[in-house]
Amino acid sequence: MVRETIRFWRQGQAIEVSGFHPRTTLLDYLRLQERRVGTKEGCAEGDCGACTVALGRVRGGRVHYEPVNACILLLGQIDGAELVTVEDLAAGGELHPVQSAMVEAHGSQCGFCTPGIVMSLFTLYHDGGRPLSRESVNDALAGNLCRCTGYRPIVDAALHVCGGQPDDAFATHAEQNVQGVEALADGQDIFIGDESRFFAAPASEDSLAVLYAQHPDATLVAGCTDVGLWITKGMAEIEKIIWLGRVTGLDRIEETSDMVGIGATVTHAEAHPSLARIDPDLGELMRRFGSWQVRASGTVGGNIANGSPIGDLAPALIALGSELELRHGDATRTMALENFFIAYRKQDRVPGEFVRRVTVPKLKGNEVFRAYKISKRFDEDISAAMGAFRFTLDGRRIAEARVAFGGMAATPKRAPETERALVGLSLDEPSTWGEAMAAIARDYQPLDDHRSSAAYRATVARNLVFKALSEAASGETRATRIIGQRDALQAAE
């Protein structure tokens, strides 16, 4: 069966929409069709958070609300979810508790960013960790830019209202909303349009394989955190879009004693706990991955399939020795993740083939992992360089090394010369580490761009080799890190 509409839950009722252009964003639908203009457009690239709305999906018997950037999310991607905008919060003539707290704390001045901030705090109010800390509030607001207040009153409002049990209309009608969202799931494929222009959302892997084989020129979308910018910034005229968010099975995480298997549509937020258990540096890398809005939408498979040379996840997974599984028609194949990246924006993927999952090995008792993201801004920034290291130790000597960097070449790339120079080094003899540090210059010839100079990248990469060795030797990070110390990261996880 094929459905020609999308369906979502809105203000206590099911809404169906059909006949929309595949490139229609959720923001355009809200402002131009519903005429709900509380949701703003600021950057049109998912950075400023003025367009933040909440999507609710049922997990574990209740609706979980997450913030998303409506400016780069496609309308079709809200199928099967509850949509909440700032206009929906007040009830019975009374402001929502989050809105009241913002008023009392003087958390709004010009007001343009306030609806998006309120929606981020709404999701924190319902689904933030408890007990609530200033750090967790800052994380929740990292994707919301406020040009007026300096954030202090906004954070104060969040600490005041978001730390307890939710007590609003959404909590009161929780069971009704669960039933409403669950009733939307019909297991049908979605196809809206015709053979030349469509938005499609297959419900099974087999349906996806058939559809993509028929339309290998279609653009696959998972979270749309990058493709959305092709539309809003690049003005790309994408006519065929296949959304993977309804494909059963691609959203699974499988964990054994020695590996974690992550399906292509598992979001960064969903993958975070499993990856953090592999190593706290990996957990910290995921925490700094974009913003809460980006982590709630963007996917592990999309980050890999995108093939960006500055993506943070690929170098870390390459250093860990991860493998990638792809499917084309009925056939699947597996490869080492580093072999997937051929050249700039070019991957070893034939037309009609899609990423199915990535398998990440867990660390063994004699293995040490370190990952470092270097960026101008700590939160929500693209890396100038990202380095990841895995050392296999034989006593105090390095028996094997895997090193990978992002931002240093046209693809995420291993450092074979550096790896060879590391093998045999003693962690107790820093005077012998120089050759491994120098070898990084033979592995990479970085470029100048607006994020950093080639010289800066080369120097940083060299220094990160020393930093990884120093931390592996001492087991401490107090002398090498101002923030993100591993004992604190382990305690947080």
Side-chain angles (χ1 to χ4, degrees):
M1 297 290 292
V2 177
R3 175 155 46 92
E4 297 181 352
T5 64
I6 63 164
R7 304 191 307 177
F8 56 95
W9 190 250
R10 182 98 162 100
Q11 298 177 316
Q13 60 182 332
I15 305 295
E16 289 200 58
V17 180
S18 63
F20 57 87
H21 193 287
R23 295 196 299 270
T24 302
T25 65
L26 176 55
L27 181 63
D28 281 348
Y29 169 77
L30 289 172
R31 293 181 64 86
L32 302 179
Q33 300 300 316
E34 283 199 1
R35 296 294 180 179
R36 298 297 186 93
V37 295
T39 306
K40 308 300 184 186
E41 180 176 76
C43 64
E45 59 186 37
D47 276 343
C48 77
C51 68
T52 302
V53 300
L55 289 186
R57 298 187 186 275
V58 176
R59 296 195 301 272
R62 74 177 185 89
V63 177
H64 289 261
Y65 295 100
E66 292 181 306
V68 297
N69 291 308
C71 69
I72 55 173
L73 196 81
L74 298 178
L75 173 60
Q77 290 178 259
I78 70 172
D79 182 81
E82 179 182 4
L83 172 64
V84 184
T85 71
V86 70
E87 291 92 346
D88 303 330
L89 300 192
E94 298 290 332
L95 291 177
H96 186 275
V98 165
Q99 294 171 311
S100 294
M102 285 283 284
V103 171
E104 292 166 5
H106 304 288
S108 177
Q109 288 187 28
C110 83
F112 187 85
C113 64
T114 303
I117 288 173
V118 164
M119 292 311 301
S120 286
L121 294 187
F122 167 80
T123 60
L124 186 68
Y125 179 81
H126 277 274
D127 281 276
R130 305 289 190 268
L132 195 66
S133 66
R134 186 170 291 271
E135 289 73 22
S136 60
V137 173
N138 289 340
D139 278 346
L141 291 171
N144 291 89
L145 179 61
C146 178
R147 299 161 179 85
C148 301
T149 68
Y151 291 97
R152 193 269 305 160
I154 300 172
V155 174
D156 288 347
L159 291 170
H160 173 71
V161 76
C162 293
Q165 290 299 312
D167 183 17
D168 61 2
F170 295 88
T172 301
H173 299 107
E175 185 58 34
Q176 176 190 351
N177 290 334
V178 168
Q179 294 173 358
V181 173
E182 287 183 333
L184 300 175
D186 58 7
Q188 293 184 336
D189 295 338
I190 294 173
F191 192 93
I192 300 170
D194 55 36
E195 292 298 307
S196 62
R197 186 174 73 185
F198 60 78
F199 176 91
S204 69
E205 233 185 283
D206 288 344
S207 292
L208 169 61
V210 170
L211 181 64
Y212 198 28
Q214 293 172 345
H215 299 276
D217 57 332
T219 298
L220 298 184
V221 166
C224 210
T225 53
D226 192 44
V227 173
L229 275 71
W230 303 358
I231 295 170
T232 62
K233 294 296 186 180
M235 304 301 172
E237 296 186 0
I238 303 171
E239 298 296 322
K240 300 178 180 180
I241 292 176
I242 302 175
W243 177 47
L244 308 181
R246 299 181 73 253
V247 179
T248 302
L250 292 187
D251 58 348
R252 290 187 189 136
I253 299 176
E254 302 173 88
E255 192 163 348
T256 68
S257 60
D258 59 359
M259 72 87 184
V260 177
I262 302 174
T265 63
V266 172
T267 67
H268 299 303
E270 292 165 341
H272 183 175
S274 296
L275 293 176
R277 285 193 292 271
I278 292 177
D279 190 86
D281 273 11
L282 200 52
E284 177 67 356
L285 181 69
M286 297 303 290
R287 187 186 70 81
R288 292 181 59 193
F289 205 110
S291 61
W292 192 3
Q293 292 94 321
V294 169
R295 294 190 294 273
S297 296
T299 66
V300 170
N303 187 255
I304 292 169
N306 178 278
S308 171
I310 49 175
D312 287 334
L313 194 52
L317 298 187
I318 288 172
L320 286 166
S322 301
E323 292 188 335
L324 195 64
E325 185 177 331
L326 300 100
R327 176 171 172 174
H328 181 248
D330 293 327
T332 61
R333 62 184 178 121
T334 302
M335 69 175 72
L337 179 55
E338 60 261 35
N339 295 336
F340 181 64
F341 306 104
I342 298 173
Y344 180 71
R345 297 286 187 176
K346 182 179 181 182
Q347 299 87 43
D348 182 6
R349 185 167 64 91
V350 300
E353 187 174 36
F354 58 90
V355 171
R356 191 169 182 271
R357 77 168 190 164
V358 60
T359 303
V360 186
K362 293 183 177 179
L363 293 170
K364 297 174 182 170
N366 64 334
E367 292 177 337
V368 175
F369 178 79
R370 293 293 185 271
Y372 308 105
K373 175 183 172 81
I374 307 300
S375 57
K376 290 182 178 180
R377 186 176 64 228
F378 184 78
D379 283 315
E380 202 183 11
D381 200 5
I382 295 173
S383 297
M386 189 275 155
F389 304 80
R390 191 190 75 184
F391 303 140
T392 303
L393 303 181
D394 181 5
R396 296 287 289 174
R397 290 193 177 274
I398 297 176
E400 180 187 357
R402 290 181 65 94
V403 179
F405 273 83
M408 296 287 290
T411 65
K413 182 175 175 289
R414 283 180 69 177
E417 293 286 338
T418 304
E419 291 175 350
R420 281 191 285 270
L422 285 166
V423 173
L425 289 185
S426 169
L427 296 179
D428 297 322
E429 299 175 11
S431 62
T432 65
W433 298 351
E435 172 55 29
M437 295 168 61
I440 205 80
R442 300 195 294 275
D443 285 313
Y444 303 104
Q445 291 76 46
L447 299 175
D448 291 314
D449 63 22
H450 62 281
R451 292 186 185 91
S452 72
S453 66
Y456 175 81
R457 285 187 164 110
T459 301
V460 162
R462 175 188 174 96
N463 291 345
L464 289 182
V465 174
F466 182 81
K467 184 173 183 174
L469 288 168
S470 298
E471 291 185 358
S474 67
E476 295 285 341
T477 57
R478 286 183 292 234
T480 54
R481 304 187 187 191
I482 299 173
I483 53 177
Q485 295 185 18
R486 285 175 62 85
D487 53 354
L489 297 178
Q490 288 170 318
E493 296 295 344

